[in-house]
Amino acid sequence: RYTLLPRIEEMVAAMNDGTLEEAVSRFVTAAWQHLKQHRHLLLVAFRELPSHLQQAQAAIESVLVPGNRLIAEFLARRLPPPS
Protein backbone atom coordinates (compact mmCIF):
# COMPACT_ATOMS: atom_id res chain seq x y z
CA ARG A 1 0.00 0.00 0.00
CA TYR A 2 1.26 3.45 -0.91
CA THR A 3 2.27 5.80 1.87
CA LEU A 4 3.96 9.16 1.85
CA LEU A 5 5.47 8.80 5.33
CA PRO A 6 8.60 6.83 4.32
CA ARG A 7 9.33 9.48 1.68
CA ILE A 8 8.90 12.27 4.24
CA GLU A 9 11.30 10.41 6.55
CA GLU A 10 13.86 10.25 3.72
CA MET A 11 13.43 13.93 2.88
CA VAL A 12 13.83 15.00 6.51
CA ALA A 13 16.94 12.80 6.90
CA ALA A 14 18.41 14.47 3.79
CA MET A 15 17.93 17.88 5.43
CA ASN A 16 20.67 17.29 8.03
CA ASP A 17 23.51 18.66 5.90
CA GLY A 18 24.23 22.31 5.15
CA THR A 19 22.55 25.45 6.34
CA LEU A 20 18.94 25.61 7.41
CA GLU A 21 18.11 27.53 4.23
CA GLU A 22 19.72 24.83 2.07
CA ALA A 23 17.96 22.08 4.02
CA VAL A 24 14.55 23.68 3.66
CA SER A 25 15.16 24.34 -0.04
CA ARG A 26 16.12 20.68 -0.59
CA PHE A 27 13.03 19.51 1.30
CA VAL A 28 10.66 21.77 -0.64
CA THR A 29 12.23 20.72 -3.96
CA ALA A 30 11.99 17.02 -3.10
CA ALA A 31 8.43 17.36 -1.79
CA TRP A 32 7.29 19.23 -4.91
CA GLN A 33 8.92 16.62 -7.16
CA HIS A 34 7.22 13.82 -5.20
CA LEU A 35 3.83 15.53 -5.45
CA LYS A 36 4.24 16.02 -9.19
CA GLN A 37 5.23 12.35 -9.65
CA HIS A 38 2.15 11.20 -7.74
CA ARG A 39 -0.28 13.77 -9.10
CA HIS A 40 -2.78 11.11 -10.12
CA LEU A 41 -2.97 9.79 -6.53
CA LEU A 42 -3.48 13.27 -5.17
CA LEU A 43 -6.31 13.94 -7.59
CA VAL A 44 -8.04 10.70 -6.57
CA ALA A 45 -7.53 11.50 -2.89
CA PHE A 46 -8.93 15.02 -3.22
CA ARG A 47 -11.90 13.67 -5.14
CA GLU A 48 -12.65 10.63 -2.96
CA LEU A 49 -11.63 11.47 0.60
CA PRO A 50 -14.50 13.92 1.30
CA SER A 51 -16.94 11.05 0.87
CA HIS A 52 -14.77 8.63 2.85
CA LEU A 53 -14.18 10.50 6.07
CA GLN A 54 -12.88 7.52 8.07
CA GLN A 55 -10.19 6.86 5.47
CA ALA A 56 -9.36 10.57 5.38
CA GLN A 57 -8.97 10.65 9.15
CA ALA A 58 -6.81 7.51 9.05
CA ALA A 59 -4.59 9.09 6.37
CA ILE A 60 -4.22 12.25 8.41
CA GLU A 61 -3.37 10.32 11.58
CA SER A 62 -0.97 7.86 9.95
CA VAL A 63 0.79 10.13 7.43
CA LEU A 64 0.25 13.85 7.92
CA VAL A 65 0.55 14.04 11.70
CA PRO A 66 3.74 11.91 11.91
CA GLY A 67 5.18 13.69 8.86
CA ASN A 68 4.53 17.10 10.38
CA ARG A 69 6.03 15.89 13.66
CA LEU A 70 9.24 14.85 11.86
CA ILE A 71 9.53 18.25 10.21
CA ALA A 72 8.78 20.07 13.49
CA GLU A 73 11.41 18.02 15.35
CA PHE A 74 13.98 18.82 12.68
CA LEU A 75 13.21 22.53 12.90
CA ALA A 76 13.32 22.44 16.71
CA ARG A 77 16.82 20.95 16.54
CA ARG A 78 18.04 23.47 13.98
CA LEU A 79 16.43 26.73 15.09
CA PRO A 80 17.79 28.72 18.00
CA PRO A 81 15.65 28.67 21.13
CA PRO A 82 13.22 31.59 21.47
CA SER A 83 14.57 34.47 23.51
Side-chain angles (χ1 to χ4, degrees):
R1 183 173 168 129
Y2 173 78
T3 179
L4 179 60
L5 189 56
R7 183 67 183 120
I8 294 172
E9 291 168 344
E10 292 171 6
M11 289 186 287
V12 170
M15 291 171 55
N16 287 322
D17 298 327
T19 67
L20 180 60
E21 291 82 10
E22 292 168 340
V24 170
S25 178
R26 276 194 310 274
F27 180 85
V28 169
T29 299
W32 185 249
Q33 181 181 28
H34 185 83
L35 292 172
K36 286 191 325 187
Q37 289 173 345
H38 299 284
R39 182 178 183 272
H40 61 287
L41 292 174
L42 288 171
L43 293 174
V44 169
F46 286 134
R47 184 183 71 229
E48 296 296 327
L49 285 179
S51 42
H52 298 89
L53 295 179
Q54 287 182 323
Q55 290 90 339
Q57 183 174 356
I60 290 168
E61 291 173 357
S62 64
V63 177
L64 295 180
V65 171
N68 287 343
R69 188 174 299 121
L70 288 170
I71 296 165
E73 289 168 355
F74 167 81
L75 292 172
R77 287 192 307 271
R78 295 292 300 264
L79 293 172
S83 51

